[in-house]
Amino acid sequence: MGKVYIETYGCQMNVADTEVVFAILGKAGFSRTEDIAQADVILVNTCSVRDNAEQRIRGRIEQFNIWRKARPGVLVGVLGCMAERLKESLLESGKVDVVAGPDAYRNLPILLGAASDGHPQIDVLLSREETYGDIAPLRVDKNGVSAFISIMRGCNNVCSYCVVPYTRGAERSRDWRTIVREACECAQAGYKEVTLLGQNVDSYRDGEVGFARLLALVAEAVPGLRIRFSTSNPQDISDAVLETMAAHANICRHIHLPVQSGSDRMLEKMRRRYTRAGYLERVAKIRSLMPDCAITTDVIAGFCSETEEDHRDTLSLFEAVGFDAAFMFQYSERPGTLAARKYPDDVSPEVKNRRLEGIIALQNRLSLESNRRDVGKTFCVLVEGPSKRDPDRLCGRNSQNKMCVWPDTAHRAGDFVEVTVEDCTQATLLCKLA
Ligand code: SAH
Ligand code: SF4
Ligand code: F3S
């Protein structure tokens, strides 16, 4: 049937979806290639979350079209969030043979077959049931240490700035039994860490099993593995989840808790369902139960009508929490979202940029301070492999998800190693074997 090359953009859920797509295509007789020059089918799994993400992918589609013209018979397909958002318009360019939205991947073998007869194919139907729960993903990461497990799809939150509910459809949870089974299969295959993925993992529910119960079930089914999860929503992360984390040593001490803004006025306009005080209460609760838990966040600079005072509220919240790390973005208006329909995108690009730079500078200091507090501590680290800069050093992450580097030629990827922090940079803990 031919060789398939897939390039993946966007969030971890897209990485997990690419693995499902490889499994579906593998079953239909396709094989995987990492060399685009060998590919009979070139797929790009896309992201729509910000305009710059889409622009970059458009550039890649232009590139793929050059391959496609040079090698007649090669098919180019667009998967994921841009496929869902842009639909038929992607075919109108004549550069694409197949468009498949996030819930259409089971049909890919049929779509590719039909497209090879010269008729462009599209399936962007969203589903209320599809979770790909029965499909064993074909893992694409090379070191075989850490695996993603998708536990739910879609999102019901409709934050006003966000395109995800439109590109991923309604929220649905995967059968908990298939999740536990997949974690066990990862353990048998030698993986040492699994990350449970969803846009809002705290609203996971399959019958009697909510997210706290699911976490406990997975942690107890694979006691030798580390468990991570992402993403938590401040309004939904429950005491039961925090207590389950605290009760299981193999659940990592790291919560990614996107705050988006420190201003109550902005949070309300963003349709986030918590306040600044509510967010700080959750942070206090996390720290009272797990003093060593890292907290990271996402933030948006320059959302509609944001004032200097709103911006200062974000800075002061960052200062108050002392985040260990953050993903920081300028607001990018997404067509069709509530914010695009209701509020003018009225903060100038210069101001957005200046505010973002302010947040980045502050977070750089907070990351360094957080790392400095770790100097002298000993951590258990899961080895990922040799450090990129120095082959005599290994690198890996501690439970808090901080990158550690230390001189070591005795261990290898997948080992758990005790290291003591001697020094740090803003991004890395510099360690020695304990
Ligand atoms: N489900 C996750 C986030 C998914 S999108 C959650 O609710 O936390 C990842 C991040 O992209 C968001 O947390 C937000 O910070 C950012 N983001 C989403 N839409 C955006 C937009 N229109 N402009 C800029 N950043 C955006
Ligand atoms: Fe987007 Fe909000 Fe859903 Fe996250 S919770 S994916 S930000 S709508
Ligand atoms: Fe992007 Fe879609 Fe993920 S918009 S962030 S790939 S859910």
Side-chain angles (χ1 to χ4, degrees), residues 238-311:
S238 64
D239 288 353
V241 166
L242 302 180
E243 284 155 10
T244 304
M245 288 177 76
H248 293 83
N250 62 331
I251 303 178
C252 286
R253 297 302 188 247
H254 172 217
I255 298 178
H256 187 61
L257 201 64
V259 69
Q260 315 301 0
S261 171
S263 150
D264 281 337
R265 194 177 72 85
M266 286 293 103
L267 288 172
E268 200 186 330
K269 263 188 130 154
M270 289 173 162
R271 282 240 220 159
R272 300 289 282 184
R273 289 178 290 116
Y274 53 88
T275 58
R276 175 189 177 97
Y279 187 90
L280 291 171
E281 183 279 325
R282 287 288 80 191
V283 168
K285 185 78 189 189
I286 293 166
R287 293 197 168 139
S288 75
L289 286 170
M290 293 170 287
D292 61 342
C293 189
I295 301 175
T296 59
T297 202
D298 294 346
V299 68
I300 299 174
F303 184 60
C304 311
S305 85
E306 187 187 69
T307 63
E308 287 302 320
E309 193 187 340
D310 295 316
H311 172 59

Side-chain angles (χ1 to χ4, degrees), residues 6 8 12-26 32 45 79 105 132 135-142 146-150 182 186 191 195 197:
I6 308 184
T8 306
Q12 295 171 328
M13 263 149 281
N14 258 13
V15 176
D17 279 3
T18 288
E19 298 181 332
V20 165
V21 168
F22 273 124
I24 290 168
L25 292 177
R32 171 177 177 233
N45 197 357
L79 314 180
Y105 298 150
Y132 303 110
I135 293 173
L138 195 112
R139 310 261 171 221
V140 296
D141 79 308
K142 277 167 227 126
S146 188
F148 291 136
I149 300 182
S150 186
E182 195 171 316
C186 287
Y191 285 90
T195 304
L197 295 179

Side-chain angles (χ1 to χ4, degrees), residues 106-125:
R106 284 183 205 267
N107 287 340
L108 269 173
I110 295 171
L111 296 170
L112 289 169
S116 65
D117 296 334
H119 306 291
Q121 299 292 311
I122 178 163
D123 185 348
V124 288
L125 275 182

Side-chain angles (χ1 to χ4, degrees), residues 110-379:
I110 295 171
L111 296 170
L112 289 169
S116 65
D117 296 334
H119 306 291
Q121 299 292 311
I122 178 163
D123 185 348
V124 288
L125 275 182
L126 287 171
S127 157
R128 296 198 153 266
E129 290 91 35
E130 182 63 271
T131 62
Y132 303 110
D134 58 313
I135 293 173
L138 195 112
R139 310 261 171 221
V140 296
D141 79 308
K142 277 167 227 126
N143 64 4
V145 171
S146 188
F148 291 136
I149 300 182
S150 186
I151 65 166
M152 58 204 297
R153 300 184 71 80
C155 184
N156 281 355
N157 271 342
V158 235
C159 303
S160 64
Y161 52 83
C162 183
V163 77
V164 170
Y166 305 92
T167 62
R168 294 267 162 175
E171 181 183 291
R172 63 223 102 118
S173 295
R174 179 175 169 188
D175 182 338
W176 67 267
R177 293 168 201 82
T178 69
I179 296 169
V180 172
R181 190 171 70 213
E182 195 171 316
C184 293
E185 285 163 1
C186 287
Q188 277 152 18
Y191 285 90
K192 296 295 162 60
E193 178 176 275
V194 293
T195 304
L196 308 181
L197 295 179
Q199 290 297 353
N200 184 8
V201 290
D202 299 286
S203 57
Y204 175 89
R205 178 151 298 280
D206 177 24
E208 293 293 290
V209 179
F211 185 59
R213 183 88 194 96
L214 179 74
L215 256 185
L217 284 165
V218 173
E220 286 157 27
V222 288
L225 264 60
R226 292 205 306 202
I227 319 297
R228 298 186 183 280
F229 57 88
S230 187
T231 303
S232 298
N233 253 276
Q235 76 264 11
D236 294 321
I237 188 163
S238 64
D239 288 353
V241 166
L242 302 180
E243 284 155 10
T244 304
M245 288 177 76
H248 293 83
N250 62 331
I251 303 178
C252 286
R253 297 302 188 247
H254 172 217
I255 298 178
H256 187 61
L257 201 64
V259 69
Q260 315 301 0
S261 171
S263 150
D264 281 337
R265 194 177 72 85
M266 286 293 103
L267 288 172
E268 200 186 330
K269 263 188 130 154
M270 289 173 162
R271 282 240 220 159
R272 300 289 282 184
R273 289 178 290 116
Y274 53 88
T275 58
R276 175 189 177 97
Y279 187 90
L280 291 171
E281 183 279 325
R282 287 288 80 191
V283 168
K285 185 78 189 189
I286 293 166
R287 293 197 168 139
S288 75
L289 286 170
M290 293 170 287
D292 61 342
C293 189
I295 301 175
T296 59
T297 202
D298 294 346
V299 68
I300 299 174
F303 184 60
C304 311
S305 85
E306 187 187 69
T307 63
E308 287 302 320
E309 193 187 340
D310 295 316
H311 172 59
R312 280 195 297 273
D313 286 345
T314 295
L315 295 175
S316 71
L317 180 123
F318 268 57
E319 197 80 70
V321 175
F323 291 113
D324 297 281
F327 295 107
M328 298 158 277
F329 311 104
Q330 290 184 31
Y331 173 58
S332 166
E333 185 178 87
R334 308 315 292 132
T337 56
L338 193 77
R341 283 178 274 141
K342 256 178 97 173
Y343 309 124
D345 180 11
D346 53 3
V347 178
S348 71
E350 295 71 31
V351 172
K352 281 181 185 170
N353 192 44
R354 174 170 53 73
R355 290 181 187 162
L356 177 65
E357 292 300 326
I359 299 171
I360 291 172
L362 170 57
Q363 183 55 46
N364 285 347
R365 171 164 68 75
L366 295 174
S367 299
L368 183 61
E369 286 172 9
S370 161
N371 283 352
R372 283 205 180 124
R373 287 193 292 273
D374 287 338
V375 173
K377 291 184 190 165
T378 296
F379 294 109

